[in-house]
Amino acid sequence: MPKRSTSPPRPLRLVCIGDTHGFHRRLILPPGDILIHAGDFDGRTLEQVDDFNAWLGTLPFRHKLVISGNHDLLFDRKPELARAHLTEAIYLQDSGVRLEGLNFWGSPVNSVTGWAFAVERGAQIRRHWDLIPEDTDVLITHEAPYGTLDKNDIMSRHQGCQNLLGAVRRVKPKLHVFGHIHGGYGRESAWNMTLINCAVVNNQRVLANAPSVVDLAP
Ligand code: MN
Ligand code: MN
């Protein structure tokens, strides 16, 4: 008997990592459909980008999405060169892609002065967040949204971006993946969405956290 076509689509397994800071080859990644890297792989030199790219090429995911973080300086200083060497991933920079029924959007902008993709909070950074389309299902940013998984330790203040929080509440993606605040690693549900800080290194920049896995139905 033919199967009825009313069954819901199979969820996609997303494996999320960020802030690998040169330790990518030491990661043990679970299987999945789509790999997401939320920035800070340490793409400062062409050699570092080439090594990261070669490692990505060994991974069996159907799609690999990468954004930059404040440490990925080559993508800011020599964007054409850097991007030409990242052949094994889809690179998002205030841009999006539709994959297997899900809309992804990625942005590297952050408020760490003097590093890569630094943009002042307020009106300037809001110009970037305003670009996020309303139909985004998965938002990938390096910066954390204010108030969620954005503290380096329990006593510290929130370090996330208020303007990004505003954008997240406007767009209401199914999933927001970010990193940058290493001590904020974890997962929370809020406003009918999932927020994941996927930083795999801790505050001492020691590889300490597992890749984050999330199943998402298109
Ligand atoms: Mn980092
Ligand atoms: Mn960072």
Side-chain angles (χ1 to χ4, degrees):
M1 207 172 130
K3 264 181 100 175
R4 286 166 62 112
S5 61
T6 49
S7 59
R10 189 182 66 89
L12 293 167
R13 177 152 288 186
L14 278 50
V15 176
C16 308
I17 52 174
D19 299 277
T20 48
H21 287 288
F23 294 124
H24 44 270
R25 289 186 183 275
R26 284 174 47 191
L27 292 172
I28 298 164
L29 296 179
D33 301 300
I34 300 177
L35 177 72
I36 293 175
H37 195 300
D40 276 4
F41 41 90
D42 274 14
R44 288 187 300 272
T45 67
L46 203 51
E47 290 71 27
Q48 287 173 314
V49 175
D50 283 340
D51 183 68
F52 179 63
N53 187 62
W55 172 75
L56 286 172
T58 67
L59 304 176
F61 297 89
R62 279 204 301 286
H63 310 282
K64 299 151 198 175
L65 295 176
V66 171
I67 68 165
S68 288
N70 55 301
H71 284 264
D72 306 314
L73 285 156
L74 200 69
F75 286 80
D76 197 3
R77 308 272 162 84
K78 295 184 175 175
E80 283 180 15
L81 179 69
R83 291 168 76 148
H85 281 248
L86 191 67
T87 56
E88 296 291 344
I90 298 168
Y91 178 73
L92 297 179
Q93 187 178 312
D94 286 331
S95 62
V97 65
R98 183 171 173 86
L99 297 172
E100 308 204 17
L102 289 173
N103 292 326
F104 295 81
W105 185 268
S107 177
V109 295
N110 65 83
S111 51
V112 185
T113 315
W115 290 72
F117 303 105
V119 181
E120 202 177 303
R121 284 181 180 171
Q124 285 201 34
I125 205 164
R126 214 159 46 222
R127 278 208 289 272
H128 293 265
W129 305 142
D130 282 349
L131 298 171
I132 305 168
E134 303 283 339
D135 63 355
T136 299
D137 299 303
V138 180
L139 176 63
I140 311 160
T141 60
H142 187 59
E143 181 91 277
Y146 181 86
T148 304
L149 307 170
D150 67 336
K151 291 166 87 167
N152 263 325
D153 61 70
I154 202 159
M155 298 299 284
S156 85
R157 64 185 180 83
H158 290 291
Q159 296 187 44
C161 176
Q162 294 268 15
N163 309 112
L164 177 56
L165 173 64
V168 168
R169 300 196 71 167
R170 166 179 66 83
V171 172
K172 299 184 185 72
K174 294 184 172 95
L175 172 67
H176 183 193
V177 181
F178 51 92
H180 185 50
I181 309 298
H182 299 171
Y185 171 83
R187 176 187 307 228
E188 275 191 26
S189 291
W191 318 302
N192 211 17
M193 58 181 284
T194 303
L195 298 104
I196 291 179
N197 180 327
C198 60
V200 296
V201 301
N202 63 16
N203 283 334
Q204 287 70 45
R205 226 177 273 181
V206 172
L207 195 55
N209 302 324
S212 303
V213 178
V214 57
D215 290 333
L216 212 57

